[in-house]
Amino acid sequence: MGQQNLSRIMRPQQIAVVGASDREGTVGNALIQSLLQGGYAGKVLPVNPKYGSVHGLPAAQSVLDLAPGVDLALIATPIETVPAVVQDCVDRKMGGAVILSSGGKEAGELGREREKKILEVALPAGFRLIGPNCLGMILPRERLNASFVLGMPDAGPLAFVSQSGGICSSILDMAAKQRIGFSHFISVGSMIDVDFGDMIDYLGGDDAVKSILLYIENLTNFRKFMSAARSVARVKPIIVLKAGRSQAGAKAAASHTGAMVGEDAVYDVAFKRAGLVRVDTIEELFDCAEIMAKQPRPRGSRLAIITNGGGPGVMAADFLARRGLEPASLAPETVAALDAILPSYWSRNNPVDILGDASVATFRQALAICLRAHEIDGILLIHAPQAMTRPQELAETLVETIKGRQYPIFACWMGGKSTEEALNYLNGAGIPTFETPERAIRAFLHMVAYAENQEMLLEVPPKLTRDMLFDRNRAGEILTWNQKEGFLADADAWGVLAAYGLPVIRTEKADTEEQASRVARTLGYPVAMKLYSSEIIHKSDAKGVRLDLRSDVEVRQAFRQILESASRYRPGTRVEGVTLQPYLAAPDFEILLGAKRDKDFGPVILFGMGGIFTEILKDRALGLPPMNRLLARRMMRETKTHTLLQGYRNRPPADFELIEEMIMRLSQLLVDFPQIAELDMNPVLIKDGKPVAVDARLKVSPVDLAPTLHLVISPYPAEHECRMVTESGMRIFVRPIKPEDAPLYLNLFKELSPTSIYFRFFGVMKELRPEMLSRFTQIDYDREIALVAIDEDAGAERILGVARIIGDPDGRKGEFAVLVGDAWQGKGIGAGLLRRCLLIAEKRGFKNVHGLVLSENRNMVALGKKLGFLVKRGEDTGEYELTIDFSQPEVVRGLESSPCFC
């Protein structure tokens, strides 16, 4: 009911305004005035007799006096009265409410208790709440102004969602000046119920919304937010301004990794993983709003700059350079075309400086040439005031030249009063205008970042050339011994890492000088010796590390020196001895690989420069598990260390597949054991291309969470792997689909007959586009169940069939689809896969699953009946609608009792 009621209150036919006679009563009157002046076509129902007399409307004495059918309540009563008002609304079967009243959690503990009471009434009924402490919402397409902001913004394709009412007011004022229109303008306030995740899901399903802007101060349900954002950002740009960059993140932690991972940096990596574009200021957010509302998305970052002033052109090029880019390189034919219209002394380069005496005709000709150039993805037109061109005439020429073209073009008309008329004209014609070249380019690059995000989503993660095996039982035993919060003993930390296949150097412990001498001889010289103490985390700080020990004398001397140094560093510290390792002389590189559990986003992986300069150089990148090779590779590329690892001078390159595998193994360790609070492998030495960890620390702290719920991104659900024998006797391995399956899925598609394609996709399809392939293989395991059948008897891995159930955001309803290769149809594979998907859906709490089947697809209709689906004609007479209801016990029993179930 959650999303259903949210849809109901976002398109209400009847609105009740519930106010009081004091300050909130004033707000209530303002709400009614906004609704009436905005031209809302639905019914406005005041719940306060005073409102009726003021606005000439029939008013109810209380909510319970209202007739059934009201969709939305606007509540502006004192916060302590809101629980009772919400209860009345629930009793009247309303969809939800916008609570404008203040005094919730922002007022302290008493406010939190008030919000708790409101939720206790609303949640069991599926009654949705926006607010409290919010400005309200404005839906220009519906002429609905359910806020106390007077005026109605223009309708347009942008949706804006903000926690701050002040930001809302500011954006509205700026948007009116720049002629920017909105589809939704929503203030979510304290987010007692409806949060950013809910709004992203809702707006993602609205075809009139082309882009989404978010002003975020804090998030609530982080996993829901990430799930919604990852889903919607594939099809619509989401631009986010997250306040609080300057605030300190988490407190400094004991390990290097903990000291370097701050709260804001984690937001950065989370937004990037979800495919969002982050901006830093209100100005940037507004500029992005303008360019998104008025222009198509650029194909790439190749920008042409046409200017009649050399200085502004240089400023634009410099700004690109600071962002690591250059203006587009002009093709010879483009330069030749410009040569034909410009003086011989023009720049002959990009920026295209057409010189200060350029006429309007010259501007038009240069623009037309650049519009035809295939090497250009967007055009910035800069006009500096001069006597040869009137700004208004040039604006009219620009609009006429690009008429009918879908091309990213934006203008910078420099100057003040003399350009006002031209700027208003351009804004009215849908061309973004900016006061400076830097602002224009910055907005363009944000759109480029979104386009690049979309391209990255289409990349197929490569598979490792070998299988990864993990000894979960061994790691679990060690961590069970260490349930108290704190750092593990070195030997236990090494044991956990080794259990997950992470390359660790052989390490032996010695309690005495004699034992150290024997261990060194066993390992073979040279050796490294390190302090062994659970109370001293950073051994180097205590002078507890000795390297390149080449004799028994040096080993004995180092043992004594380390113990003495530890005693001086922290008198009374418990020292258990030393550890000895083979010494790797002259490694090619030193890197750091670690992790820290963030209080909001769960475990965060860190990669960067290793050794004693880790915190000084701060060359690092972050990532969120689960990780695959592609994600690991992208994370490494964000660092300067990655460039070093490619090799230079006489140093060979690192084996990147081995490092990617290390990151994936670390990721799986963090997925499996939520009690890991910090993990630090520093340094990881790389010699002759191969990495090995030579020092490690691991800290645990108890958590009370169900498996995988400590993650904000659902990991691969290995528990759904199984083996089955089909009705025809085929041995099949069934497992969830993986991003790496894209080539196998493509092979399956190529083997399908035109009829099978038509039955599955309801149309003719010659090929599977990259975005579709990505959508089918890179799924959100929280929202979607997709199982593939792998032939166990085939020499090479191949997919025989796929079944999936795509859930709605509430996880209560789902839609199924089945696809089986022609050669394997009729062997029970589709039945087995769909049956397995249905049982998983039922256990997750789905209420029902449905799907549309073409009437010609008799085999699928028969399969549906066999599994317990109710079959009836769809709205289109050429389709059947199949629905299975899990509330019927006999349906579930029938699925569980099937002999084909694995």
Side-chain angles (χ1 to χ4, degrees):
M1 280 183 69
Q3 279 291 318
Q4 181 180 347
N5 274 340
L6 181 57
S7 298
R8 185 179 168 193
I9 68 174
M10 295 302 292
R11 292 187 176 178
Q13 301 301 309
Q14 296 187 46
I15 300 175
V17 181
V18 188
S21 300
D22 50 12
R23 190 189 72 81
E24 285 81 1
T26 304
V27 174
N29 273 316
L31 289 171
I32 295 176
Q33 185 177 352
S34 294
L35 287 166
L36 297 178
Q37 290 185 354
Y40 172 59
K43 187 179 290 186
V44 179
L45 305 167
V47 183
N48 187 320
K50 290 187 176 182
Y51 294 163
S53 60
V54 172
H55 300 284
L57 296 171
Q61 189 72 35
S62 72
V63 171
L64 295 178
D65 293 333
L66 295 170
V70 178
D71 302 296
L72 170 66
L74 304 180
I75 300 176
T77 67
I79 192 71
E80 60 271 15
T81 68
V82 172
V85 174
V86 169
Q87 182 64 68
D88 289 347
C89 293
V90 169
D91 292 343
R92 270 284 166 259
K93 303 289 192 263
M94 294 185 192
V98 176
I99 305 174
L100 296 98
S101 316
S102 59
K105 63 170 71 78
E106 74 276 7
E109 188 59 36
L110 178 59
R112 281 188 282 272
E113 284 298 317
R114 289 166 175 163
E115 290 188 355
K116 182 180 177 182
K117 291 178 180 177
I118 296 170
L119 281 175
E120 287 172 351
V121 175
L123 288 184
F127 185 84
R128 303 312 304 267
L129 301 167
I130 295 176
N133 192 28
C134 72
L135 194 70
M137 63 182 186
I138 306 175
L139 310 179
R141 284 181 302 152
E142 315 294 332
R143 306 301 300 171
L144 170 60
N145 184 352
S147 76
F148 46 83
V149 174
L150 291 178
M152 178 70 69
D154 291 341
L158 286 180
F160 182 73
V161 185
S162 171
Q163 277 181 291
S164 166
I167 295 293
C168 286
S169 301
S170 302
I171 292 288
L172 279 175
D173 283 346
M174 290 189 286
K177 180 180 178 182
Q178 299 292 88
R179 303 286 297 274
I180 297 174
F182 295 93
S183 61
H184 301 75
F185 210 90
I186 301 164
S187 167
V188 290
S190 300
M191 298 192 301
I192 188 176
D193 172 32
V194 173
D195 57 16
F196 285 107
D198 291 310
M199 290 312 310
I200 291 171
D201 270 324
Y202 174 78
L203 296 170
D206 189 329
D207 292 338
V209 177
K210 303 305 180 187
S211 306
I212 301 171
L213 299 166
L214 307 176
Y215 173 80
I216 296 175
E217 292 176 355
N218 66 283
L219 294 174
T220 49
N221 190 324
F222 290 80
R223 184 153 167 161
K224 180 171 72 173
F225 172 84
M226 289 294 290
S227 180
R230 291 174 66 217
S231 173
V232 174
R234 286 178 174 271
V235 293
K236 300 179 182 183
I238 302 178
I239 311 298
V240 57
L241 171 57
K242 166 67 174 67
R245 262 199 193 275
S246 62
Q247 295 177 352
K251 292 181 179 179
S255 72
H256 291 297
T257 305
M260 293 175 61
V261 178
E263 181 186 72
D264 197 68
V266 182
Y267 271 97
D268 264 342
V269 71
F271 291 154
K272 186 178 298 183
R273 179 72 176 270
L276 312 188
V277 176
R278 183 175 186 180
V279 299
D280 293 327
T281 65
I282 294 176
E283 179 182 84
E284 287 183 60
L285 184 69
F286 182 76
D287 288 347
C288 280
E290 181 169 13
I291 202 168
M292 282 194 303
K294 299 176 178 179
Q295 293 291 289
R297 311 292 168 255
R299 298 188 309 268
S301 61
R302 301 172 302 175
L303 180 67
I305 303 164
I306 303 175
T307 176
N308 67 338
V314 172
M315 291 163 56
D318 284 347
F319 189 82
L320 276 173
R322 289 198 295 273
R323 296 298 180 99
L325 297 169
E326 292 183 357
S329 179
L330 300 180
E333 55 269 26
T334 303
V335 174
L338 291 168
D339 280 338
I341 66 163
L342 297 175
S344 59
Y345 45 89
W346 78 280
S347 63
R348 304 197 83 249
N349 208 334
N350 187 13
V352 180
D353 184 357
I354 62 176
L355 305 177
D357 60 353
S359 65
V360 170
T362 303
F363 263 109
R364 182 182 65 248
Q365 290 173 310
L367 176 59
I369 291 169
C370 289
L371 285 170
R372 292 194 299 268
H374 297 295
E375 71 273 19
I376 295 172
D377 298 318
I379 299 174
L380 168 60
L381 197 65
I382 303 176
H383 173 253
Q386 42 93 342
M388 299 297 294
T389 55
R390 289 193 310 106
Q392 176 64 20
E393 182 184 358
L394 180 58
E396 292 170 358
T397 300
L398 168 59
V399 172
E400 181 65 29
T401 304
I402 66 169
K403 185 178 292 184
R405 293 176 180 265
Q406 286 295 308
Y407 194 92
I409 185 166
F410 40 107
C412 175
W413 260 226
M414 303 185 74
K417 191 174 181 63
S418 64
T419 64
E420 284 184 4
E421 182 185 7
L423 293 175
N424 289 334
Y425 182 81
L426 291 171
N427 285 324
I431 297 176
T433 62
F434 301 91
E435 294 177 353
T436 65
E438 292 89 347
R439 282 183 64 176
I441 291 174
R442 187 171 55 197
F444 172 74
L445 292 182
H446 283 312
M447 293 301 93
V448 170
Y450 173 75
E452 290 174 346
N453 285 344
Q454 298 309 294
E455 287 182 11
M456 287 193 295
L457 288 174
L458 302 182
E459 291 186 57
V460 177
K463 289 188 175 183
L464 289 168
T465 55
R466 55 194 161 271
D467 292 333
M468 290 198 304
L469 301 176
F470 309 104
D471 191 345
R472 290 183 177 86
N473 292 336
R474 176 59 182 157
E477 286 176 5
I478 296 172
L479 292 170
T480 301
W481 304 335
N482 297 271
Q483 294 190 10
K484 291 184 179 180
E485 182 170 351
F487 284 91
L488 271 60
D490 286 5
D492 288 344
W494 289 118
V496 171
L497 298 179
Y500 268 67
L502 287 153
V504 295
I505 199 165
R506 181 182 174 186
T507 303
E508 302 288 345
K509 181 175 178 291
D511 300 329
T512 65
E513 184 177 321
E514 286 299 326
Q515 191 176 1
S517 175
R518 288 196 302 272
V519 169
R521 288 196 299 272
T522 302
L523 292 175
Y525 299 110
V527 296
M529 184 183 296
K530 300 175 183 179
L531 173 67
Y532 188 90
S533 171
S534 58
E535 297 179 13
I536 298 178
I537 304 305
H538 300 299
K539 303 175 182 69
S540 297
D541 293 349
K543 297 182 179 179
V545 179
R546 296 291 187 275
L547 305 175
D548 199 14
L549 305 176
R550 294 179 170 271
S551 67
D552 184 64
V553 172
E554 290 183 2
V555 168
R556 290 176 180 274
Q557 184 181 26
F559 183 90
R560 294 191 296 270
Q561 290 173 342
I562 285 176
L563 266 59
E564 291 168 3
S565 296
S567 180
R568 286 195 302 270
Y569 176 73
R570 191 174 295 167
T573 295
R574 182 167 173 258
V575 176
E576 291 94 339
V578 298
T579 57
L580 291 98
Q581 302 168 336
Y583 175 64
L584 295 181
D588 299 313
F589 311 102
E590 293 187 22
I591 62 172
L592 159 71
L593 189 57
K596 174 185 178 290
R597 189 175 67 215
D598 182 79
K599 64 182 178 64
D600 297 322
F601 289 97
V604 181
I605 295 173
L606 183 144
F607 168 88
M609 177 71 73
I612 61 174
F613 300 114
T614 294
E615 293 183 34
I616 296 174
L617 298 178
K618 295 184 178 178
D619 177 41
R620 86 286 187 276
L622 307 179
L624 295 175
M627 301 282 279
N628 55 37
R629 282 190 68 187
L630 184 60
L631 294 171
R633 187 176 300 170
R634 288 178 189 163
M635 183 174 71
M636 290 192 290
R637 285 176 179 167
E638 294 178 16
T639 66
K640 297 181 178 68
T641 301
H642 180 266
T643 304
L644 286 176
L645 294 177
Q646 295 177 58
Y648 68 99
R649 294 187 178 177
N650 63 339
R651 301 195 180 200
D655 186 327
F656 281 100
E657 182 176 352
L658 289 178
I659 302 175
E660 291 160 8
E661 182 180 334
M662 280 190 75
I663 294 172
M664 292 171 64
R665 288 181 178 276
L666 172 60
S667 170
Q668 191 61 49
L669 177 63
L670 299 170
V671 167
D672 290 342
F673 297 103
Q675 63 266 48
I676 295 176
E678 294 179 25
L679 195 157
D680 190 15
M681 289 180 280
N682 183 26
V684 175
L685 302 183
I686 299 176
K687 190 172 177 63
D688 298 327
K690 295 180 172 53
V692 60
V694 299
D695 203 359
R697 288 173 290 278
L698 195 159
K699 183 181 180 181
V700 297
S701 64
V703 290
D704 186 20
L705 286 171
T708 77
L709 290 186
H710 63 299
L711 305 165
V712 291
I713 299 174
S714 182
Y716 174 81
E719 66 274 15
H720 297 326
E721 293 180 349
C722 67
R723 284 169 171 79
M724 60 179 280
V725 178
T726 68
E727 295 165 353
S728 63
M730 289 186 69
R731 296 190 307 119
I732 303 294
F733 177 44
V734 176
R735 62 166 174 79
I737 202 165
K738 301 177 181 178
E740 294 87 346
D741 287 332
L744 300 179
Y745 194 98
L746 195 57
N747 291 339
L748 172 65
F749 180 84
K750 291 177 180 177
E751 294 173 353
L752 296 174
S753 66
T755 300
S756 293
I757 292 174
Y758 179 71
F759 283 167
R760 169 61 181 88
F761 299 103
F762 286 42
V764 177
M765 190 180 297
K766 298 290 187 183
E767 61 181 5
L768 207 56
R769 299 191 308 274
E771 57 268 27
M772 291 188 69
L773 184 61
S774 168
R775 172 65 191 85
F776 289 146
T777 55
Q778 299 182 30
I779 71 169
D780 182 344
Y781 295 116
D782 270 342
R783 295 179 174 228
E784 193 167 341
I785 304 161
L787 300 178
V788 296
I790 306 293
D791 186 354
E792 288 238 273
D793 298 323
E797 192 175 35
R798 66 180 179 184
I799 293 178
L800 308 181
V802 187
R804 69 181 71 235
I805 295 175
I806 302 172
D808 65 11
D810 290 338
R812 292 293 177 264
K813 297 179 181 179
E815 183 175 0
F816 78 87
V818 180
L819 179 65
V820 178
D822 286 66
W824 304 290
Q825 292 176 8
K827 300 180 183 298
I829 294 174
L833 288 174
L834 182 55
R835 185 180 290 110
R836 177 75 167 150
C837 286
L838 290 169
L839 283 164
I840 294 170
E842 190 273 334
K843 285 182 170 58
R844 284 192 184 181
F846 280 59
K847 300 301 183 186
N848 60 68
V849 172
H850 71 278
L852 292 177
V853 178
L854 293 172
S855 56
E856 308 100 296
N857 194 353
R858 297 185 181 88
N859 289 340
M860 190 65 235
V861 174
L863 171 60
K865 291 179 179 178
K866 178 180 177 181
L867 292 177
F869 281 87
L870 175 66
V871 179
K872 65 177 184 179
R873 282 284 182 184
E875 294 181 5
D876 186 326
T877 56
E879 298 173 352
Y880 285 105
E881 183 174 1
L882 278 62
T883 305
I884 191 167
D885 184 356
F886 294 132
S887 65
Q888 301 177 30
E890 65 274 12
V891 170
V892 179
R893 283 197 299 270
L895 293 171
E896 291 176 337
S897 62
S898 168
C900 196
F901 172 64
C902 57

